[in-house]
Amino acid sequence: MFDKCSFINSVGEYAYDCDNRYDMLLRDDTCANAIEINTQYGKIIVSGDTLVATGRGLWKRAGELYIGDSLKHYTMGKAVITGITSITDIIHMFRLVDCTAGYLLIEGFYISAD
């Protein structure tokens, strides 16, 4: 899951509305274990169970990341994690149910379908 205010860039192309194009399917959801991950190239808010691509191209749960790890970044290649903050409030997020490639680019970071 990822924050509703995030910029969605679908695998290098613009994301299309599910109602019109059906190449991705997002569902409204809430999250009680959200994590804000900060890097030198921006930040992303995801649930702790969300799979994100590491700098080595492997998928890893966001809750298992540490400061100093790297994430795969669309523009810059790799982005080193400079801070991780747990969000204790329940926040509204999108769950990526399905998409053509199996992942989306959210704020330039690779996020796997749930």
Side-chain angles (χ1 to χ4, degrees):
M1 289 188 285
F2 59 92
D3 185 35
K4 283 188 170 187
C5 297
S6 300
F7 176 74
I8 303 171
N9 186 346
S10 176
V11 194
E13 301 294 331
Y14 290 108
Y16 295 96
D17 188 342
C18 302
D19 295 330
N20 299 323
R21 183 73 193 251
Y22 302 110
D23 64 346
M24 70 176 192
L25 181 59
L26 303 176
R27 295 277 189 231
D28 286 325
D29 207 339
T30 57
C31 179
N33 69 337
I35 298 172
E36 180 178 304
I37 302 171
N38 293 296
T39 72
Q40 76 268 40
Y41 301 122
K43 69 177 182 176
I44 186 168
I45 299 174
V46 294
S47 72
D49 296 327
T50 300
L51 293 175
V52 295
T54 64
R56 293 182 176 189
L58 303 173
W59 294 104
K60 192 171 187 179
R61 286 183 59 245
E64 297 173 353
L65 295 170
Y66 296 99
I67 294 174
D69 289 347
S70 64
L71 298 179
K72 187 175 180 182
H73 193 272
Y74 178 69
T75 308
M76 304 308 290
K78 292 182 183 179
V80 176
I81 297 173
T82 58
I84 298 175
T85 306
S86 294
I87 301 172
T88 57
D89 295 335
I90 295 175
I91 62 173
H92 296 281
M93 302 183 100
F94 281 130
R95 177 180 299 278
L96 175 57
V97 177
D98 189 24
C99 62
T100 304
Y103 63 91
L104 287 180
L105 290 171
I106 310 295
E107 300 288 349
F109 300 102
Y110 292 74
I111 304 298
S112 177
D114 292 327

